[in-house]
Amino acid sequence: MKQEEYLLLGKVIKTHGYQGGIQIILHPGSLGLATEILNMEVIFLKLDGILVPFFIEISQTVSEEMILIDLQTVDTKEKAIELIGNEVYLKTSHRTA
């Protein structure tokens, strides 16, 4: 995977709820993409330097710069805590706009 094929969306800043939801703050260059993210099926988190795909179960916008996402394989708060601080990317070929 080439880094230039991905757009930095933001960073996981905290958990949301008790069933593995995460809160993402959007990178300044990605502001305005919150609505587009609602239509995505997959995001990529940079874990130990590797972009790892996660499928979105539910997403909602909180504001222009903040979104909440539930990921299919992250179903506990403990799993979500492990994702805090990681960057979130979108594969540019998955963009709807």
Side-chain angles (χ1 to χ4, degrees), residues 8-55:
L8 175 62
L9 289 178
K11 183 183 261 189
V12 179
I13 59 167
K14 64 181 185 177
T15 63
H16 178 75
Y18 294 100
Q19 299 193 6
I22 57 172
Q23 189 170 348
I24 297 170
I25 189 163
L26 296 180
H27 182 269
S30 297
L31 293 179
L33 292 179
T35 304
E36 184 176 333
I37 293 166
L38 297 178
N39 298 318
M40 287 189 273
E41 295 179 4
V42 64
I43 57 172
F44 296 81
L45 273 67
K46 194 172 207 177
L47 306 175
D48 296 324
I50 300 170
L51 292 173
V52 179
F54 285 86
F55 289 92

Side-chain angles (χ1 to χ4, degrees), residues 1 10 39-40 47 49 55 60 66 72 74 82 84 87:
M1 289 190 260
N39 298 318
M40 287 189 273
L47 306 175
F55 289 92
Q60 72 181 67
M66 190 83 57
Q72 288 181 3
V74 181
E82 294 177 14
I84 293 173
E87 293 179 334

